[in-house]
Amino acid sequence: MTKLLILGALSTASIYFAQNYPVSAIPENLKKNADVVIRRDFTTILINKIDEIKYQYNTVTTVLNKDGDSKAQVYIPYKKGDNISDVKVTVYDESGKKVKSFSKSDFGDFANNTQGVFYSDRRVLALSYTSAYYPYTIEFSYQKTDENTIFIPDFVPFASKNISLVQSQFKIINKSGIDLKTKTYPSKYNYTSVSEADNGNEKVYSYTSVPAINDVLMLPQPEKILPKVSFALTQFNLEGKRGTLNSWADFGTWYYTNLVEPVSVSTPAIKAEVAALKLEGSTEEKVKKLYQYMQSKTRYIFVGLGIGGWLPMLPDEVQKKGYGDCKGLTNYMKTLLNEAGIPSHYCVINSGTSQISFDPDFPLMGGNHAILMVPTEKGNIWLENTSQQVAFNHLIDGTTDRNVLAVTKKGIELINTPTYAAEQNREKQILKINLVEDNSINGEIQFAYTGSQYDNNLSYNYLSPKERIEILKKRFDVLNFAKVEMKDFVNDKDNAVIKFSIDFKADNYSKTAGESLIFRAVPIFTNNYYKSDDSRELPFEIGQSFEDEYEINFSVPKNYKIDEVPQNMIVNSEFGTYTLNFVKSGDLLKVTRFIKVNRGIFPKDKYNEYVSFRKKTLNGDNSKILLTKI
């Protein structure tokens, strides 16, 4: 009888989907801003025991235009040991008439290895289907059985912009006897809400009529806008390793025992390489020398093997092969520090453009990246171990301002990574510009970048001189370069500063007005277009604070004098500060420009105020200076 009940639960959604789906049945408000409309998204999860969980997926997705193809791909990620069955795909035309059907045998079986992946046991079944017309609808269903019960997916309406949802249901039937914890995170902006029904061992969650999030300027990521429900079993299995998830402390003990301690193994060769470095000085000096040594002999390659891809490579393997992924390189660096008598913590983090932190009150297996933290009396040292070029004790933008799971013998401690203030995310330009009567300019510009602006310029390290020039031309296309040369490029990995200078000539910078020349005050600026939006529906986000300071020295051509300069300018707002100052001295003009922009998520009602602030800064940058002929 129990088996019959379970089969019934799994087949309910399949029966429900035995129908066609005319596009005309989609409400007009759900077509607005949508490339894809999810008509139905039904997931049923059966938790049978600590090492068996069954998933039944049923989705019906209408693709409205070509941009929606990538959002409606038909694929099944899996790994060795998963059992995938009852795979069915049906394609319908605009009227809801069946066009074609597919089964599991029509799917290709591929290694699920993205760029930079050396080897992984992850695979994907994928259906190659291209429609000749739009709109069309795909109905897709399958079942999967997994022994790993540590990962239960969050329930969210959708994951991307320009997708809308008619109806979604997430049902969990817990037959395991293990406590299932849940937590609902409402939308901070009341975008939509989740309905909940709890019938003991069966929990049902649903969303209905969720409009698409339009991809407008400065929109926060969908995960910051939408609600979600998270799930976790208090006892779990991961590749035969069982543990408890009642608190971060007991989960951390399991994590350390199963995923950190087994690979914390040094070797005589590793001992010898640390001894050969003859470390001296403060803890910080020793860590820096070890870190830069590690960078010099390793490179990043993802290896998704070992306890579901979560177990780091042995440090001996990394030491011999000279490569590893974030887990392996972090573990190798940790082992080098251990040999130097310096304790450190293996840290798991959610890396990405959105600052996603772990919930202190809801322990959960997660994260997508590993870094290392070295506690010292002067503060924590943070090490990003996957880059050969990143500076010592500098975290890249995708890992700042969030917490990490610092794994120790005593459990997991949640620790915050640094937050870089505007004055740390800094660009400095010093320009020496010669104005020429033929409307061109030439001269030299010195650049210096720190903080997140250091990150933005790290890519120059990997480019040839020719490629650097091409990037410069595209990046500073506000100038019409006739020629440009980059020189003195320095990546200061001790202080996280990138410096370089350029010699250049640019045509058509000034304009002739009779016998006078007119030119703008700021040669290089961000020529973004800012437009008011009275119908904005969602908040806007300034993702990172920053400061830019320019010192511009113009030299006037012979037989010309500086006739008119704009008034000094200052703009203050809650979004930042902008100043522009002019000082004449004979045939020289010095212009100083400063802008500071504050990060944050701001209400939609203030978007036009922000646009007004940025338009004022653009107007300042475009202030005109008049030279007259003597």
Side-chain angles (χ1 to χ4, degrees):
M1 179 60 69
T2 301
K3 290 182 179 179
L4 289 174
L5 288 173
I6 292 172
L7 288 172
L10 287 174
S11 62
T12 299
S14 296
I15 293 171
Y16 185 84
F17 278 84
Q19 53 185 292
N20 61 10
Y21 294 91
V23 174
S24 60
I26 300 174
E28 286 301 314
N29 70 307
L30 297 184
K31 293 180 182 177
K32 181 182 178 182
N33 300 323
D35 299 323
V36 161
V37 180
I38 302 172
R39 313 287 291 275
R40 296 286 187 269
D41 183 1
F42 279 28
T43 299
T44 300
I45 298 177
L46 291 173
I47 306 170
N48 288 325
K49 51 186 178 178
I50 193 171
D51 58 357
E52 184 180 292
I53 187 167
K54 294 186 176 182
Y55 300 89
Q56 168 72 56
Y57 297 101
N58 290 273
T59 63
V60 178
T61 304
T62 295
V63 180
L64 298 177
N65 52 54
K66 189 173 180 63
D67 291 336
D69 285 336
S70 62
K71 299 181 175 74
Q73 292 177 344
V74 178
Y75 64 95
I76 305 171
Y78 76 99
K79 65 184 182 316
K80 183 179 179 181
D82 290 348
N83 179 33
I84 298 168
S85 61
D86 296 335
V87 180
K88 298 176 183 177
V89 178
T90 305
V91 181
Y92 303 93
D93 65 11
E94 182 175 3
S95 67
K97 180 182 177 181
K98 179 180 173 180
V99 175
K100 198 166 186 178
S101 294
F102 302 92
S103 64
K104 185 178 179 180
S105 62
D106 297 307
F107 282 63
D109 192 343
F110 307 97
N112 194 8
N113 295 354
T114 55
Q115 185 177 5
V117 176
F118 177 64
Y119 188 78
S120 171
D121 55 7
R122 302 172 187 174
R123 299 193 66 79
V124 61
L125 294 171
L127 178 67
S128 177
Y129 177 78
T130 303
S131 178
Y133 51 83
Y134 299 92
Y136 65 94
T137 298
I138 294 181
E139 182 179 8
F140 176 34
S141 64
Y142 69 95
Q143 293 188 43
K144 183 170 75 170
T145 303
D146 193 345
E147 68 172 342
N148 295 329
T149 53
I150 195 170
F151 306 107
I152 300 176
D154 290 340
F155 180 46
V156 295
F158 39 75
S160 301
K161 303 165 188 173
N162 303 115
I163 297 177
S164 65
L165 172 70
V166 177
Q167 185 178 9
S168 178
Q169 178 180 285
F170 195 91
K171 180 187 293 186
I172 293 188
I173 304 169
N174 184 10
K175 302 286 186 179
S176 68
I178 303 169
D179 287 340
L180 175 69
K181 298 190 299 179
T182 68
K183 186 167 183 177
T184 299
Y185 300 85
S187 167
K188 294 180 180 179
Y189 307 103
N190 297 316
Y191 194 79
T192 190
S193 60
V194 59
S195 299
E196 305 179 19
D198 190 342
N199 300 313
N201 290 335
E202 182 176 305
K203 301 178 187 295
V204 181
Y205 302 85
S206 60
Y207 300 106
T208 56
S209 298
V210 184
I213 296 175
N214 194 24
D215 191 9
V216 295
L217 289 173
M218 304 181 72
L219 186 73
Q221 292 297 314
E223 57 261 38
K224 293 185 177 181
I225 297 170
L226 296 169
K228 73 173 181 178
V229 186
S230 292
F231 309 88
L233 285 170
T234 56
Q235 298 177 55
F236 62 83
N237 177 68
L238 176 62
E239 303 275 329
K241 305 293 183 180
R242 298 185 177 187
T244 57
L245 196 49
N246 291 302
S247 67
W248 284 117
D250 63 8
F251 178 56
T253 301
W254 174 88
Y255 202 116
Y256 183 85
T257 301
N258 291 277
L259 300 177
V260 176
E261 189 176 40
V263 291
S264 298
V265 181
S266 187
T267 64
I270 292 175
K271 294 178 186 292
E273 50 178 357
V274 173
L277 292 174
K278 298 180 180 179
L279 301 174
E280 295 179 346
S282 66
T283 299
E284 183 181 39
E285 290 170 330
K286 293 177 182 177
V287 175
K288 181 190 291 186
K289 190 168 185 178
L290 279 169
Y291 176 69
Q292 293 179 347
Y293 165 77
M294 183 276 297
Q295 286 182 298
S296 71
K297 64 165 295 179
T298 60
R299 59 195 173 100
Y300 174 83
I301 295 180
F302 180 74
V303 181
L305 298 173
I307 311 185
W310 289 81
L311 185 71
M313 291 172 61
L314 286 165
D316 181 49
E317 292 183 77
V318 178
Q319 192 261 343
K320 289 178 179 177
K321 297 176 179 178
Y323 64 72
D325 60 13
C326 63
K327 305 183 301 294
L329 294 170
T330 295
N331 183 52
Y332 174 54
M333 184 64 209
K334 179 176 171 61
T335 305
L336 293 175
L337 290 168
N338 286 342
E339 286 299 335
I342 301 171
S344 60
H345 299 323
Y346 182 96
C347 296
V348 181
I349 190 170
N350 289 301
S351 175
T353 54
S354 288
Q355 294 86 10
I356 298 176
S357 285
F358 298 96
D359 185 344
D361 301 319
F362 196 80
L364 191 69
M365 182 69 156
N368 59 8
H369 188 48
I371 58 177
L372 200 65
M373 189 273 283
V374 185
T376 74
E377 293 181 357
K378 295 182 179 180
N380 297 331
I381 295 173
W382 295 93
L383 303 178
E384 168 58 62
N385 302 288
T386 59
S387 171
Q388 296 169 304
Q389 300 297 336
V390 74
F392 169 73
N393 197 19
H394 173 83
L395 288 184
I396 57 175
D397 187 33
T399 54
T400 57
D401 191 31
R402 66 202 74 194
N403 65 20
V404 302
L405 306 181
V407 185
T408 72
K409 289 182 180 180
K410 297 179 181 179
I412 279 176
E413 184 179 356
L414 274 68
I415 300 175
N416 293 328
T417 60
T419 298
Y420 295 148
E423 56 268 22
Q424 294 170 290
N425 301 321
R426 184 175 173 82
E427 176 187 22
K428 178 69 181 288
Q429 290 186 18
I430 300 177
L431 302 88
K432 296 179 180 179
I433 307 292
N434 300 310
L435 293 155
V436 184
E437 195 169 356
D438 65 0
N439 301 123
S440 69
I441 57 173
N442 62 71
E444 178 190 62
I445 309 176
Q446 297 175 3
F447 299 89
Y449 299 96
T450 60
S452 63
Q453 303 216 55
Y454 168 86
D455 302 335
N456 297 338
N457 288 272
L458 267 176
S459 59
Y460 283 122
N461 284 281
Y462 306 100
L463 302 177
S464 67
K466 183 178 179 180
E467 290 170 328
R468 288 177 178 178
I469 297 303
E470 292 305 311
I471 294 297
L472 277 173
K473 288 180 177 179
K474 291 178 182 179
R475 183 177 175 188
F476 302 136
D477 60 358
V478 69
L479 284 177
N480 184 21
F481 283 121
K483 65 176 183 178
V484 60
E485 177 188 358
M486 179 187 284
K487 59 182 184 180
D488 303 325
F489 181 88
V490 175
N491 174 17
D492 182 349
K493 296 201 291 183
D494 291 337
N495 301 295
V497 182
I498 281 180
K499 299 178 182 179
F500 61 87
S501 61
I502 65 172
D503 288 334
F504 76 98
K505 179 179 184 293
D507 294 329
N508 303 316
Y509 183 74
S510 63
K511 291 184 178 180
T512 301
E515 292 189 336
S516 300
L517 296 178
I518 301 173
F519 62 96
R520 69 173 181 268
V522 179
I524 293 178
F525 63 96
T526 302
N527 57 338
N528 290 342
Y529 178 69
Y530 296 95
K531 182 180 180 182
S532 299
D533 184 358
D534 294 324
S535 61
R536 191 176 181 99
E537 298 176 345
L538 286 167
F540 65 100
E541 181 175 20
I542 302 174
Q544 190 61 267
S545 302
F546 66 89
E547 274 188 7
D548 293 345
E549 182 181 353
Y550 299 175
E551 178 186 307
I552 309 160
N553 298 282
F554 288 105
S555 178
V556 175
K558 291 181 179 180
N559 303 321
Y560 280 83
K561 68 176 182 177
I562 303 168
D563 195 344
E564 295 180 11
V565 297
Q567 291 185 336
N568 292 341
M569 180 177 177
I570 182 166
V571 181
N572 286 313
S573 84
E574 66 177 301
F575 311 110
T577 301
Y578 174 86
T579 61
L580 191 67
N581 295 302
F582 303 88
V583 177
K584 291 195 298 182
S585 178
D587 61 352
L588 299 176
L589 174 66
K590 182 177 181 180
V591 181
T592 56
R593 174 192 187 265
F594 173 84
I595 185 170
K596 175 182 178 181
V597 174
N598 303 321
R599 61 169 293 180
I601 297 180
F602 299 90
K604 62 181 181 180
D605 299 338
K606 293 192 174 184
Y607 182 73
N608 287 345
E609 293 179 32
Y610 174 74
V611 169
S612 175
F613 167 65
R614 293 315 302 260
K615 283 184 175 179
K616 289 175 182 177
T617 69
L618 284 176
N619 289 339
D621 292 341
N622 279 295
S623 297
K624 296 301 187 287
I625 300 163
L626 177 67
L627 303 182
T628 57
K629 204 160 191 179
I630 300 172

